[in-house]
Structure formats: C-alpha cells, structure tokens
Amino acid sequence: MIFKFLKYTRPIWYFNLKPSQDFGYFPTEEQLTENGFTFSKDLNYLSKDAQNRDLAWVAHNSGFINQRFESGLTIWNKANLPVIDEYRFMKKYLHPAWVFYTYIIRVLTFHNPFKETYCFLKNRKVKRVSFSNTIVKQNQYDEFESKLVSDNPKISVIIPTLNRYKYLRDVMLDLEKQTYKNFEVIVVDQTEPFQEEFYKNWNLDLIYWHQKEKALWKARNEAIEKASGDYILLYDDDSLIEADWIYEHLKCLDFFKADISSGVSLSVVGAKVPEHYNYFSWSSQLDTGNVLLKKEIFYKIGFFDLKFEKQRMGDGEFGLRCYLNGYKNISNCKAKRVHLKVSEGGLRQMGSWDGWRPKKLFGPRPVPSVLYLSRKYFGNSSTVYYIMNSILPSLIPYKFKGNRFLIFLSFLFLPLVLPLVVFQVFKSWKISSRMLS
C-alpha cells in the first residue's frame, strides 16, 4: 500500500495488493527522468520514502505509463511512514471530509489522540492538489499506425440482453456502422417472450440464442466459450457508441502493448469524459459494458465467477484477478460509450442492480457478493473499513447519491436506523461467509 492511510478510504483498491508482475505502476524518480518527465518532488514530507511515494502517486494518477514495463517503486513493502506524512498525503489528494473521517477513525481505534491531533492540525494549511496540470499526454498516439489493426484479428462482441429490444436495436445499428469490420456479434437473449424475428436482416455476422435462465454471468461465460475471435469485446444492451469504437480499443492494446483496454462510460449523450478518465492511464477496474481483452486470458485465469450471479461486482472481481495475475489493463479514453442505464430489463430486473441499497427492508446490505469479493481478496479488516465508509452514502436513494445535504442528513439520522443497518450488514456478512466456504 503506497500510503497506509489509504486503507481507511480506499480499502479495496486494486493497487493495494501486490500483483504477480509489476509493470512500473508507481515509477521511481530515475524512471521518470529517463523518460523525460519531471514531476515536482514534495520535500515537505519528513521522510524521503514518503517523498518518493508521493512522486510515484502523482505520476501514477497523471497517466505515466512506462512502456518498458520495468518494475517500479516497491510500494507493497511495509513502510512505517511518519503519521504527519500520512496526514499530509491525505490533505493533498482527498476531500477534507475524508481527512477528518480518517482522523476520527484513528482516534477511535486507540491511536495516540494527542499525536493524531497534532499531525492533523499541522497539515491544516496544506492545499488540495489537482492532477490537471500534470497529465501525461500521449502525443504519438494519434499518428500511431497500428500493426494489430492491420493484421485484422477477429473480434467477438458479446452482449447479454433481457427485455431491451428497443435499446438493442440502437446497439445493432451502431455496430453496423463500425469502421473495423472483422467482428462477430454474439447475443445471449433472456427475454420472455423471445422474439426471434428481431435478429433477421442485420448486416452483421450475428450469432444468437435464447437462454431461459435469467443469468448474466452464465450468459457471458457460454458466449466466450463459443466465440471464434481471438479478442473478446464485452458490451451492454443499453449503450451507444461511435463508429471507431472497436478500432480505438484495438489501437490502444497495440500502442501500449497491453492485454486489456477498458473504455470509459458516459451517462449523457454528448457529455464530456470525466476529468479523471480523460487521458490514458493504468486502469483499476474492468467494466464488462465496455472492455476488450485477449480471449486467452479466460483460459489462463478462469471465467467469470458464478457466485456473483444476480448480484454485483462480478466484473470487478475478474478485473482484480487479471491485475493480480500480471495482465496490463489500460484505461482507454478514446473508446467511449454512452451508458443509458435504462430502468427496465437487465440486471435491474433479474437481481441486485445496486450493490449497497437493498430492495427489501430486511434484505442484506450490501449485496453479499460485495463482501465476498472484499473478504476473499482484501481480508476482514479492510472489509470492515469498506463497510464503514460506504454505509452513509447507501442510506440515500441512488438518484440522489451525490447530494451532500442528504449525506449530512443521513449522518444525523444514522442513530435511528443503526439497529436495522447492523442487522442488514450482519445478514450480508453471514451469507458472504457461506459463499467463501
């Protein structure tokens, strides 16, 4: 873990765990210099180790990708950084609310309150840093002539669908317009009643079948097994894409010599790509609605875990498995999709679309698969922190999840609903224990 205090705010972040192969995720100062990049080192940290880690953090978040793929700064060894340096790091890069939250947790978990208070207050004037001025621009990307694209490998686009013919029609129209042509489309249709006539007269290499069981991960696994392409492109049935979507995914793999291209998602047609996704960087997620990867990966590390069926985070678990097994995953700002997140069909109908908001009053909170993933890979201690920093936002309806006033209200009303929340979490923990066993 690059800074210890991240365990309170990012307890299940991919990069907290050491992968089987480090591709320079957090570069050293020497590596940056060799590649012609100069990020300012913060000499206000007491520890030189903290200074180096801060520099590596800036480079990582600015999109520095060393294409030599050398091992970088070893951030997974235990480092006893001064507490005052830990607070400085938090103050520089996190919202003040998270810094205060960390301070409270530290005091309540029996760390020296005088020392914690001193270090907290000592950093009160530290200003929050934005990465907007340090973003690494891949200037050679636009002119890059991709040999992989020229080799014309076959792509298998996989789309599970349930009760969304209206939206699937637009998906098919977008795929017909793709500039890259060597691909097949595999649709696993779980709709009742099944409308076979929908699949007639498309100008696509189209394979489809009806799956009676409403099972998302089963559908994807079976489609991958039947795919004839060397690359799998996972897609959703309620999305819109541009004509160069497949081309940009392939080009990204080739340019970075990567194994996985994770595209970005927008929620509104014409919206700008969010700032933190508006440049190439190492990806800490895998979104099965917009990702291209080598088919061989599934046969080396396994397919999607069916324990996530009708629950959440099956794609997150697979992405974490890819990372731990040494596969390079690039966040690709060029491969965009608009995710409509329609209110009908899909996972909303077949199971738990929201990971932290139970459908029933006495249902588990969060969905048990969330704790299954967290406990399996990060352990019980990190999972407790994960629960603690996710509970308050989960008390607010999804459509208002970013409303700060409602978050504040949820904090005030937490004592009233605490017995119910504790029951819900205990129920989820118990179910996740059975999943683990």
Side-chain angles (χ1 to χ4, degrees), residues 180-378:
Y180 187 87
K181 298 299 183 183
N182 190 19
F183 66 94
E184 65 180 359
V185 180
I186 303 176
V187 181
V188 186
D189 193 336
Q190 301 162 67
T191 305
E192 296 291 352
F194 174 57
Q195 300 177 23
E196 188 165 10
E197 64 275 11
F198 174 86
Y199 296 97
K200 306 302 180 184
N201 302 318
W202 291 105
N203 186 25
L204 294 165
D205 179 4
L206 181 59
I207 303 166
Y208 65 91
W209 63 85
H210 183 239
Q211 177 180 289
K212 289 188 176 181
E213 182 183 356
K214 306 297 183 284
L216 179 65
W217 301 111
K218 175 187 176 184
R220 286 194 171 116
N221 282 348
E222 291 187 358
I224 292 163
E225 286 185 315
K226 295 186 179 181
S228 61
D230 295 317
Y231 293 86
I232 302 296
L233 184 43
L234 298 166
Y235 195 37
D236 280 341
D237 59 358
D238 61 343
S239 301
L240 303 172
I241 50 173
E242 297 176 359
D244 61 353
W245 179 62
I246 296 178
Y247 166 81
E248 289 293 354
H249 268 304
L250 270 177
K251 184 178 177 181
C252 174
L253 285 190
D254 195 11
F255 184 81
F256 291 102
K257 299 297 181 281
D259 305 295
I260 305 168
S261 168
S262 290
V264 298
S265 296
L266 310 174
S267 56
V268 180
V269 177
K272 290 184 178 180
V273 177
E275 184 178 306
H276 59 293
Y277 288 132
N278 201 22
Y279 54 94
F280 293 107
S281 62
W282 292 112
S283 180
S284 61
Q285 63 178 12
L286 187 147
D287 177 1
T288 45
N290 186 11
V291 63
L292 176 72
L293 64 164
K294 298 175 180 177
K295 184 180 178 181
E296 65 185 39
I297 294 174
F298 292 96
Y299 290 94
K300 290 184 177 179
I301 70 171
F303 285 55
F304 292 111
D305 186 342
L306 296 180
K307 287 189 176 71
F308 290 88
E309 204 64 82
K310 297 181 174 62
Q311 298 191 58
R312 295 290 296 170
M313 296 184 78
D315 47 1
E317 188 275 341
F318 183 80
L320 177 57
R321 231 188 305 152
C322 290
Y323 163 76
L324 292 174
N325 281 277
Y327 290 103
K328 299 185 284 289
N329 184 357
I330 301 295
S331 178
N332 183 356
C333 57
K334 298 286 188 178
K336 300 184 288 289
R337 66 142 176 175
V338 176
H339 189 196
L340 301 176
K341 297 185 178 181
V342 299
S343 58
E344 58 192 76
L347 192 57
R348 289 165 175 78
Q349 181 174 325
M350 74 168 71
S352 303
W353 176 73
D354 190 304
W356 281 89
R357 296 167 179 84
K359 287 185 173 181
K360 298 179 181 179
L361 184 63
F362 295 105
R365 184 194 301 264
V367 174
S369 62
V370 172
L371 298 189
Y372 165 68
L373 181 153
S374 179
R375 295 175 66 191
K376 179 177 181 179
Y377 291 98
F378 296 91

Side-chain angles (χ1 to χ4, degrees), residues 9 86 100 163 212 234 257 312 398 407 412:
T9 57
E86 295 278 358
F100 183 70
N163 294 341
K212 289 188 176 181
L234 298 166
K257 299 297 181 281
R312 295 290 296 170
Y398 182 82
I407 292 175
L412 296 180

Side-chain angles (χ1 to χ4, degrees), residues 41-147:
K41 181 182 279 192
D42 186 348
L43 301 178
N44 291 306
Y45 286 99
L46 293 183
S47 162
K48 286 188 177 179
D49 194 1
Q51 293 173 14
N52 292 330
R53 287 171 179 248
D54 179 89
L55 184 66
W57 172 267
V58 172
H60 176 92
N61 285 279
S62 299
F64 175 79
I65 299 171
N66 186 353
Q67 298 207 42
R68 296 179 188 174
F69 299 123
E70 309 165 311
S71 295
L73 193 67
T74 307
I75 57 108
W76 298 281
N77 293 342
K78 263 195 172 182
N80 293 317
L81 303 178
V83 173
I84 196 167
D85 283 354
E86 295 278 358
Y87 275 110
R88 180 173 183 81
F89 170 78
M90 297 286 284
K91 198 76 167 63
K92 283 182 69 176
Y93 302 113
L94 277 75
H95 190 280
W98 283 117
V99 184
F100 183 70
Y101 166 82
T102 301
Y103 165 71
I104 295 298
I105 294 297
R106 295 279 298 175
V107 171
L108 292 178
T109 50
F110 307 109
H111 293 87
N112 186 326
F114 301 105
K115 184 177 182 180
E116 296 295 325
T117 302
Y118 171 79
C119 294
F120 175 76
L121 294 176
K122 189 71 174 176
N123 285 291
R124 67 188 182 278
K125 293 183 180 179
V126 175
K127 293 183 178 180
R128 194 175 177 190
V129 173
S130 168
F131 297 111
S132 58
N133 295 323
T134 59
I135 290 172
V136 175
K137 296 178 181 178
Q138 301 293 343
N139 295 321
Q140 297 176 342
Y141 183 86
D142 289 339
E143 290 75 33
F144 177 69
E145 296 291 336
S146 171
K147 184 178 183 301

